[in-house]
Amino acid sequence: MTQIGEVALWLALLVGAWGAVMGFAGGRMGRGDWVLSAERSSYALFALLATTCGAIIASFLRNEYAYQYVAGYSNRELSVFYKITGLWAGQTGSLVFWATLLALFGCIAVFQNRRRNREFMPYVVGTVQTVLVFFIVVVLAASNPFQLMDFAPADGRGLNPQLQNYWMTIHPPTLYLGFTAFTIPFAFAVSALLSGRLDTRWITTTRRWTLLAWFFLTNGIIFGMMWAYVELGWGGYWFWDPVENASLLPWLTGTAFLHSVMIQEKRGMLKMWNVLLIMGTFLLSIFATFLTRSGLIESVHSFAENTTIAWIFLGFLSALVLVSAALVWWRRGAFAPESQLESALSREAAFLLNNLVFVAAMLSVLWGTIFPLVSEGFSGQKITVGPPFFNRVNIPLGLLLLGLLGIGPVIAWRKASPRNLRRNFTAPLTAAALVAGALWLGGARNTYAILTFALGSFTMTTIVVEFWKGTRARARIEGEGFFPALVHLVERNRRRYGGYVVHAGFVVMFMGFAGSAWDVEKQVSLRPGETMDIASPFGHTYRLTYQAMSSYPATNMTKVIASLDVALDGRRAGVLTAEKRTYRQREEVVSEVGIRRAWNEDLYLILAGVDDLNGVVQGTNPRPLATFKVLINPLVPWIWIGGLIMAIGTLTALWPGVEPRTPVAAKARVRAPWIADVDEPALVEA
C-alpha cells in the first residue's frame, strides 16, 4: 500500500503538469479538446493524491517505523484516532493533505462549471494545477513522506503531547480547507485577467467559494484559540504568536474582500481593488503555509523539519507576486469605475473605510510578524515583537471596525440624508450612551472595555432594528405571524440577513475579548485539606479545597491528578481537576487544566507545580505540596458563543435560496467558447 502511495505521488506530478499546460494552452489556442483533457486530469489528480494520503495513513496504522515520517509522529501506544491525524501532524503529511484538499476543490469547481463559465475554466484549471504542481514538487524534493530510515526502530518517537488534543486534530484541517478554498476565487480572478472579462461575473461566480473559504478559515482560527486555551495552560486564547498571526492575515483581507465586492456589484466601483484583495488573500494563505513550515520563526505551532522548504516557498511566493502584479498592470485599462464616490456619508464610503481598516490591521500584523526576521537580516540580532505592540495598534482598529459594522449596512447608498441618519442611528446611539453610562456608574474604568460594550451595543441595536423592521413589514404585507414572517424574510435574502447574524456574532466575540479587562489571577501553594478563596468581578466568591493527588498509568502516558472541591458563595459547586501528564516515549511533562464554565465566566485551574512529582508517581508521598494558579476569566464563554453565531450566519448566507421562476423562458443551444455545446436559458418573446 505504501509503495502504491509513492507511485501515485509521482504520477500526480506528471498529471498535474499535464493539466496545467493543457489548461493554459487550450485557453490560449481555443482548443476545446485540450481544455477537456485538463479538466479530466483534475479528477485523476485528486484520485492520485487521495491514494497518497491513504497510503500515509495506512503506514501509521501498520506501525511502519522504517519510514522517517511515521517514526517521528507515532508510536505503538498511540491511539488509532491520533495515528490517523498523523497525516497532518507534521510538515510532510500536512503538505500532502493541503494539496489533496486543493485537488478536491479543483474537482468540485470543474464539475460545477461543466456547462457554464466556459470562458473562465481553461485558466482556472491551469492556475489550480500549477499551484498543485508546486506543492507536489515541494513534497518530492524536500519533504517526502516515504523517506526510509537507515534502520527500522522498534518503536516511534510518538506524537507531540501538545497535539494530542481534540481541538488540535480539527484545527489544522479546518485552516487548510480555508486556505485551499481561497485558491478557487484567486484562479477565477487570474482567468478574468487573462480573458479580459473583468466585469462582476467572476465575482458572482465565486461568491459562495469566498464565503466557504471564509467560513472554514474563521472556524479554524477559533478552533486554534480553543486549543490554546485548554492545552497550553496559560489561561489565554491568543498570544500573537507568529503562526497565529499567519492564519489571521488572509482572514483580514478575505473579510475586506467580502465587503468590497458589494460596492462593485452595486455601483461598479473598486474593480482593481477587488482583484488585488483576492490575490493578496491567496498570497497570504501561501505565506501562512510557508511561515508554519519554514523553520525561520519560533512557535509552538510550527511544523518545520528543515529550512530547505523556506527557500522553495520564497521562490514560489516571489514568482506569484510578480506574475500577479504583471497581470494587473497589463489589464490596468479595464478597471475604469462605472461611478464615483459622491459623499463621505454613504454606504460606499463606509465600506471603503472598512476595507482600509482591515488592510491596515493586516499590514500591522504582517510587519510585527516578520520584523524579527528583518531585524536579524539587517543587524544579526533577532528582535521579538510581543503582544503590547499588536494590542496597541490593533485594539483601536478593532474598535473602529466594531462601530463600522453598525454603520455600513444601514447608511444610504450614494449620499445619506439627515432624515436617513436620524431614522437609522438615533436608537443605536442612545443604546451606546446608556450602556457606556451604566458601565461607568457601575465602576468600570477601562476605556477600551467601555468603548467595546458601547460600540457593540450600537451595532447590535442596528442589527435588531433591521430584523424588526423587515419582519414587521413582511408580516403586515403578507398577513403572516411574526415568526413565520421572520423565517420567510431570511429565506428571501439569505446573504443580507446571514451577514447581519455574522455581525452579531462578531459583536458578541468582541464583548468576550473585552472581559479580559476584569481578569483575576491568584497563585497559592497548598497541602491536601487546605483551602483558598478567590473573588469574581461579578461579586461572588469561589472557595477551592485541595482534596488529594493521585497517579495512574494511561495509554501512552502517566497521569498525576489533583482534585479540588469548588464552592460558590458557600454552596458546593462540583469538583475541579488539574493534571500533570508524563509522556513516556518523549519523556515530556505537560499540564492539563481544569475549567469550570458558566455563562459569564470561566474558573480556570492550573497545576503549576508539585514539590515531589516522582514521589507521587511512585506512591511514596501521599500529601504532596502543590502549587496552583487559579484564574477567573470573565466573558470568555461569549467568545465561543460568538464564534458559533458567526458560523450560523455564514451557513445561512451560503445556503441556496429558492430560485425565482422565470415565466417566459426556453432552452437555447449556445455554442461555448471551449469544448461542446451547453444548455443556457434564453428569454424568448411570448
Side-chain angles (χ1 to χ4, degrees):
M1 178 64 182
T2 311
Q3 290 76 13
I4 293 174
E6 187 170 10
V7 171
L9 189 59
W10 282 101
L11 289 176
L13 176 63
L14 299 177
V15 171
W18 172 266
V21 171
M22 288 295 100
F24 285 118
R28 183 72 179 85
M29 304 296 293
R31 290 288 301 269
D33 53 340
W34 291 2
V35 176
L36 182 61
S37 177
E39 291 183 331
R40 288 176 175 172
S41 72
S42 298
Y43 300 113
L45 185 55
F46 170 66
L48 291 167
L49 288 173
T51 300
T52 301
C53 285
I56 295 173
I57 292 173
S59 65
F60 273 91
L61 295 176
R62 294 165 61 182
N63 298 322
E64 295 180 347
Y65 301 119
Y67 293 101
Q68 185 175 343
Y69 184 60
V70 179
Y73 291 95
S74 182
N75 64 304
R76 296 187 182 279
E77 293 187 17
L78 196 66
S79 67
V80 171
F81 178 75
Y82 288 118
K83 286 182 178 179
I84 294 173
T85 63
L87 172 63
W88 56 82
Q91 174 179 279
T92 300
S94 65
L95 290 171
V96 175
F97 187 54
W98 202 104
T100 305
L101 292 176
L102 178 55
L104 172 62
F105 287 144
C107 289
I108 294 172
V110 167
F111 183 79
Q112 279 183 331
N113 294 280
R114 64 194 183 282
R115 295 186 180 276
R116 59 184 179 181
N117 300 317
R118 301 308 305 160
E119 66 274 28
F120 290 129
M121 291 313 295
Y123 303 122
V124 170
V125 174
T127 302
V128 171
Q129 301 239 23
T130 299
V131 177
L132 280 168
V133 166
F134 162 73
F135 274 90
I136 297 170
V137 168
V138 169
V139 171
L140 289 172
S143 193
N144 196 321
F146 305 108
Q147 179 71 42
L148 289 168
M149 302 179 70
D150 294 333
F151 66 95
D155 202 358
R157 187 163 180 256
L159 186 63
N160 185 332
Q162 291 181 332
L163 300 183
Q164 296 183 42
N165 176 278
Y166 170 76
W167 293 113
M168 185 47 71
T169 63
I170 63 174
H171 161 58
T174 312
L175 280 183
Y176 300 161
L177 286 166
F179 290 156
T180 53
F182 269 124
T183 309
I184 305 302
F186 167 77
F188 270 92
V190 170
S191 183
L193 289 166
L194 289 172
S195 63
R197 299 174 180 270
L198 288 164
D199 53 16
T200 59
R201 189 174 170 193
W202 75 270
I203 288 176
T204 56
T205 299
T206 60
R207 180 186 298 146
R208 281 198 169 90
W209 277 107
T210 309
L211 273 173
L212 183 70
W214 189 88
F215 170 78
F216 284 127
L217 189 55
T218 302
N219 284 286
I221 292 171
I222 293 172
F223 294 159
M225 292 167 64
M226 290 179 171
W227 168 75
Y229 188 64
V230 303
E231 183 64 29
L232 297 185
W234 61 289
Y237 41 79
W238 191 269
F239 195 66
W240 297 106
D241 178 270
V243 175
E244 291 176 342
N245 297 347
S247 65
L248 182 63
L249 294 172
W251 184 89
L252 290 167
T253 54
T255 308
F257 176 75
L258 283 172
H259 291 82
S260 182
V261 293
M262 298 180 192
I263 305 177
Q264 182 172 343
E265 291 175 331
K266 183 72 174 180
R267 303 274 284 134
M269 300 166 60
L270 304 182
K271 294 180 181 180
M272 181 185 288
W273 179 250
N274 287 327
V275 170
L276 291 174
L277 274 180
I278 196 60
M279 285 184 161
T281 301
F282 170 73
L283 292 171
L284 288 170
S285 297
I286 299 295
F287 176 77
T289 309
F290 149 74
L291 202 63
T292 311
R293 293 155 183 82
S294 65
L296 301 178
I297 50 105
E298 296 179 3
S299 168
V300 295
H301 304 72
S302 180
F303 289 104
E305 295 166 8
N306 63 71
T307 58
T308 304
I309 285 179
W311 303 110
I312 301 176
F313 263 94
L314 278 176
F316 183 61
L317 261 175
S318 301
L320 283 174
V321 170
L322 290 174
V323 171
S324 299
L327 285 174
V328 173
W329 179 257
W330 177 43
R331 293 294 187 185
R332 64 190 183 280
F335 294 113
E338 299 169 19
S339 56
Q340 299 295 327
L341 183 65
E342 299 178 18
S343 171
L345 292 176
S346 64
R347 191 171 301 186
E348 299 96 310
F351 277 26
L352 180 58
L353 180 57
N354 164 290
N355 267 228
L356 294 176
V357 174
F358 272 118
V359 172
M362 182 275 293
L363 291 174
S364 71
V365 174
L366 178 63
W367 176 245
T369 303
I370 66 172
F371 183 77
L373 301 179
V374 174
S375 64
E376 186 177 27
F378 281 97
S379 66
Q381 182 179 2
K382 183 176 289 189
I383 301 174
T384 302
V385 178
F389 164 79
F390 293 104
N391 290 334
R392 189 176 300 115
V393 175
N394 288 289
I395 289 178
L397 292 176
L399 291 173
L400 182 54
L401 282 174
L402 191 59
L404 287 171
L405 287 182
I407 297 173
V410 297
I411 196 171
W413 290 102
R414 293 183 175 86
K415 184 177 182 179
S417 65
R419 181 174 178 272
N420 171 268
L421 295 175
R422 286 195 302 270
R423 185 178 68 248
N424 288 316
F425 298 116
T426 299
L429 287 171
T430 302
L434 289 174
V435 168
L439 287 172
W440 182 267
L441 293 174
R445 292 295 182 268
N446 186 289
T447 302
Y448 283 147
I450 294 174
L451 282 173
T452 299
F453 278 92
L455 292 171
S457 301
F458 170 85
T459 298
M460 191 66 80
T461 303
T462 64
I463 295 169
V464 172
V465 168
E466 283 297 294
F467 272 98
W468 168 257
K469 289 193 303 186
T471 303
R472 186 180 60 179
R474 181 175 178 87
R476 184 175 63 251
I477 294 170
E478 301 293 338
E480 298 175 331
F482 182 84
F483 288 105
L486 175 61
V487 172
H488 294 150
L489 178 73
V490 175
E491 285 181 343
R492 289 293 300 274
N493 199 336
R494 296 179 187 274
R495 184 184 181 192
R496 177 181 179 182
Y497 288 99
Y500 285 154
V501 174
V502 172
H503 287 179
F506 192 80
V507 170
V508 174
M509 283 193 74
F510 258 66
M511 290 180 174
F513 296 149
S516 62
W518 296 285
D519 283 353
V520 179
E521 180 179 327
K522 191 172 183 179
Q523 183 165 313
V524 295
S525 296
L526 303 173
R527 290 195 182 276
E530 296 179 341
T531 64
M532 65 161 291
D533 293 337
I534 184 168
S536 166
F538 291 105
H540 47 259
T541 301
Y542 292 97
R543 170 161 288 185
L544 285 76
T545 304
Y546 175 24
Q547 294 295 331
M549 185 173 291
S550 59
S551 171
Y552 68 91
T555 303
N556 201 37
M557 70 187 79
T558 299
K559 293 184 178 183
V560 172
I561 303 175
S563 302
L564 292 87
D565 277 341
V566 180
L568 177 60
D569 290 336
R571 298 186 301 274
R572 193 170 187 278
V575 176
L576 206 56
T577 62
E579 304 178 15
K580 289 287 187 184
R581 295 181 177 180
T582 304
Y583 287 81
R584 290 186 286 271
Q585 199 67 16
R586 285 182 172 252
E587 298 182 348
E588 293 183 27
V589 179
V590 300
S591 297
E592 291 292 322
V593 302
I595 304 175
R596 181 189 183 274
R597 303 183 188 274
W599 70 271
N600 60 342
E601 67 184 10
D602 282 350
L603 177 64
Y604 192 98
L605 176 68
I606 306 167
L607 179 56
V610 182
D611 65 342
D612 184 13
L613 189 62
N614 289 330
V616 175
V617 173
Q618 296 168 7
T620 59
N621 187 352
R623 289 178 52 81
L625 178 69
T627 301
F628 297 99
K629 181 183 287 187
V630 183
L631 302 94
I632 296 178
N633 296 330
L635 304 185
V636 163
W638 290 23
I639 298 174
W640 321 130
I641 294 170
L644 177 61
I645 295 171
M646 291 173 70
I648 292 171
T650 311
L651 290 175
T652 301
L654 273 169
W655 202 264
V658 178
E659 294 292 336
R661 294 184 178 181
T662 304
V664 184
K667 293 287 185 178
R669 300 292 288 177
V670 179
R671 174 69 61 179
W674 326 111
I675 316 179
D677 294 338
V678 297
D679 288 335
E680 293 283 357
L683 293 178
V684 298
E685 293 182 359

